[in-house]
Amino acid sequence: MLRSGWITTGPEVEAFEREFASSVGVPFAVALNSGTAALHLGLEALGVGPNDEVITSTLTFTATAEVAEYLGARARLVDVEPGTLNLSPELVREVIEREYRWRGQAWVHGETGGTLRAIVPVHFAGHPADLPGFIALGREYGVSILDDAAHAFPAAIEGRAIGNFGCPTAFSFYATKTITTGEGGMLVTDSPAIERRVRLMALHGISRDAWKRYSAQGTWYYEVVEAGYKYNLTDIAAALGRVQLRRAAAMLRRRTAIAERYGKELASLPYLEVPRPRPGVGHAWHLYPIQLRLERLRIDRARFIELLRERNIGVSVHFIPLHRHPFYARKYAYRPEQFPVAEAAYPRLVSLPIYSRMTDADVGSVVAAVKDVLEQAGRCARVGKRLLDVALAAGLLVLALPVLGVAALAIRLTEGSPVVFRQQRIGRGGRRFLIVKLRTMRAAPGPPVTVGGDPRVTRLGRSLRAAKVDELPQLWNVLRGDMSLVGPRPE
């Protein structure tokens, strides 16, 4: 390519577009200089403009939301679902029904008067969001879908590639992405109208292929028909992208193998949660985000990252939720309590290294470092936690003895023996133990789980249950180490 003498947008870009479109299974692809440009022009092609509103996830990079601001629209941030940390159709539906009203031909926000024009789902870390659900939601409410697939190449749902679900889709080829052109992006679509609009606006709004005016097939004459942008990709970047594209499947296999090893070796640690892909999805494994169980550690995330870096392991955090950033908090007055799932996940999120050039030794070093840091931080935490459990449980048990004595006597006089109820439960690490409670039911056939209005519950038992007095003997289980005052513990 360098020897050809053509280094800006040209034949390499055309070839990259054809090959990428084919890999996803769509007729059209427009190469751009960033994933941000793809999102921006995608929204513009869908008709998003001033006083419109665009719903997207709070747990994403700012580009997802800021492109709406470019167009004079408002970015409406929504909380994510547990597990995948993706936006879900159900959460978006709740927001639409709660905050918007159908007026004329569109959904209008009850306070701002803005028109809901688009929804932008994000495939967090490369785990596909429920794209079929979003497509159906968009049809139901008459709202466009623009898919932010910056993390999701090559990802799939039931074998169908992300990008091939009938909505315009934006990909990123930034340096950290699963394939890279250094800087770059791609907008794919099955709509000729969207393809024409994006291609027009990507290079100054010039009416024909502007780059061809410098080729043998081109002409000096052109017309500017719109106030466009300078978003074209160079042939230098496209040449890199074409080689990366040919290696994409092999690189995905390697990242998947790394993710599987992480999951196998780290899932048993009680100090973290590993990502668990849902059935039927093809995860791109752009990121490997673990969530620390901080309640079991004596260190916070910042110290965990610092200790890993001391062991030469570089990790990061994806992402600081957008509602926490000053711009969005100031402009929209977002409050943390509006985003309970993102708020709970954010302090615990850490992204471990995952890239195709990692060797088995590299992966082993990461695993060993994570285990070492967490086990050292956790041992002291367990000792302190156990001492706290013993001290508090002993004190509370002494205070509870008069109440327990009166309750036990009442059970004996009204229902006879036994006074105490014991039942096998599963504790930490799968260990079985006998939980101790005051008896509140009479022996009779019935389901293994007590249900509302259960006739086996005695009159005295209902009172004891309402006051939770029947649970007080479990302080003995805490003293024995079967349970803990602060989870995990049986209900």
Side-chain angles (χ1 to χ4, degrees):
M1 186 281 305
L2 289 171
R3 292 190 191 98
S4 75
W6 195 291
I7 60 174
T8 186
T9 304
E12 286 290 327
V13 168
E14 282 194 312
F16 186 30
E17 290 174 341
R18 287 194 306 271
E19 293 164 6
F20 193 85
S22 176
S23 74
V24 175
V26 294
F28 307 113
V30 183
L32 301 159
N33 64 6
S34 68
T36 305
L39 289 167
H40 182 194
L41 295 188
L43 286 182
E44 199 275 344
L46 292 171
V48 174
N51 205 40
D52 286 338
E53 304 207 346
V54 177
I55 287 177
T56 193
S57 168
T58 189
L59 199 61
T60 183
F61 185 60
T62 183
T64 309
E66 74 186 13
V67 292
E69 307 289 330
Y70 294 172
L71 297 164
R74 299 180 184 88
R76 285 291 171 190
L77 305 180
V78 176
D79 200 13
V80 294
E81 63 181 5
T84 69
L85 300 182
N86 280 327
L87 200 65
S88 77
E90 294 74 22
L91 289 167
V92 173
R93 181 190 297 276
E94 290 175 10
V95 170
I96 295 174
E97 294 292 340
R98 182 176 66 248
E99 298 186 13
Y100 294 84
R101 300 292 179 267
W102 181 255
R103 294 178 185 168
Q105 300 297 314
W107 290 89
V108 177
H109 196 275
E111 293 183 6
T112 67
T115 300
L116 180 58
R117 191 70 64 188
I119 301 167
V120 184
V122 178
H123 308 284
F124 179 76
H127 189 298
D130 181 7
L131 205 49
F134 279 111
I135 299 296
L137 186 72
R139 291 197 188 103
E140 180 182 349
Y141 286 90
V143 177
S144 298
I145 306 296
L146 172 64
D147 188 17
D148 181 350
H151 296 186
F153 182 80
I157 301 174
E158 302 292 349
R160 186 177 179 183
I162 296 298
N164 186 18
F165 280 82
C167 61
T169 303
F171 292 93
S172 171
F173 307 137
Y174 181 65
T176 59
K177 296 301 193 293
T178 54
I179 70 170
T180 182
T181 58
E183 297 277 1
M186 190 81 74
L187 192 287
V188 304
T189 180
D190 56 8
S191 166
I194 290 177
E195 186 265 346
R196 286 193 300 269
R197 181 67 181 181
V198 170
R199 197 172 294 283
L200 171 71
M201 298 301 287
L203 197 56
H204 302 297
I206 295 176
S207 60
R208 58 188 68 198
D209 287 332
W211 67 271
K212 287 185 178 178
R213 69 190 186 276
Y214 296 114
S215 71
Q217 299 80 30
T219 175
W220 60 269
Y221 184 78
Y222 62 90
E223 293 178 334
V224 176
V225 296
E226 291 286 358
Y229 306 93
K230 185 69 167 68
Y231 279 166
N232 57 304
L233 191 71
T234 67
D235 263 23
I236 296 175
L240 294 172
R242 294 182 68 195
V243 176
Q244 289 272 291
L245 189 58
R246 291 196 291 271
R247 298 177 54 215
M251 292 192 291
L252 174 61
R253 286 193 295 272
R254 179 57 185 158
R255 290 194 307 277
T256 301
I258 294 168
E260 287 174 351
R261 183 173 173 189
Y262 278 158
K264 181 179 179 181
E265 299 205 33
L266 298 178
S268 61
L269 292 178
Y271 312 111
L272 59 79
E273 298 172 24
V274 297
R276 300 184 185 279
R278 290 182 176 172
V281 305
H283 202 306
W285 292 116
H286 165 53
L287 302 172
Y288 193 88
I290 61 171
Q291 294 190 54
L292 300 175
R293 289 176 170 141
L294 296 173
E295 70 278 6
R296 304 184 186 184
L297 298 169
R298 62 180 178 84
I299 60 173
D300 61 9
R301 177 181 59 192
R303 181 58 179 159
F304 174 72
I305 292 173
E306 182 181 335
L307 290 170
L308 284 182
R309 287 181 175 169
E310 289 177 2
R311 290 161 173 79
N312 204 32
I313 305 298
V315 297
S316 190
V317 174
H318 298 88
F319 292 94
I320 302 171
L322 294 185
H323 68 266
R324 282 175 163 248
H325 288 284
F327 171 78
Y328 298 100
R330 180 177 65 247
K331 182 169 183 178
Y332 298 111
Y334 287 125
R335 303 182 309 278
E337 58 267 26
Q338 294 174 271
F339 307 91
V341 177
E343 280 291 310
Y346 165 61
R348 308 192 300 138
L349 279 170
V350 178
S351 297
L352 300 184
I354 184 167
Y355 54 96
S356 57
R357 290 185 64 189
M358 287 183 75
T359 66
D360 288 343
D362 293 333
V363 180
S365 295
V366 175
V367 170
V370 169
K371 286 183 175 180
D372 181 49
V373 170
L374 291 180
E375 286 173 356
Q376 287 193 43
R379 273 197 295 269
C380 293
R382 286 202 302 271
V383 171
K385 189 167 184 291
R386 180 65 186 139
L387 290 174
L388 188 66
D389 275 344
V390 170
L392 288 175
L396 290 170
L397 197 57
V398 170
L399 292 173
L401 282 175
V403 177
L404 285 169
V406 171
L409 181 61
I411 294 169
R412 180 67 181 272
L413 292 176
T414 58
E415 301 295 334
S417 297
V419 170
V420 174
F421 170 77
R422 294 178 177 87
Q423 187 180 53
Q424 190 176 85
R425 296 289 177 90
I426 306 299
R428 185 174 183 174
R431 188 171 67 86
R432 298 172 186 270
F433 71 96
L434 288 176
I435 198 169
V436 184
K437 303 174 71 172
L438 292 178
R439 184 168 68 89
T440 58
M441 301 172 67
R442 60 177 62 91
V449 177
T450 308
V451 297
D454 195 317
R456 297 172 296 172
V457 178
T458 65
R459 181 181 298 179
L460 175 61
R462 282 194 292 272
S463 299
L464 295 175
R465 286 176 173 230
K468 298 295 183 183
V469 171
D470 63 315
E471 309 281 355
L472 289 175
Q474 290 173 65
L475 292 168
W476 174 250
N477 289 115
V478 175
L479 273 178
R480 284 172 43 87
D482 300 326
M483 296 169 59
S484 175
L485 289 172
V486 179
R489 61 183 178 84
E491 184 185 14

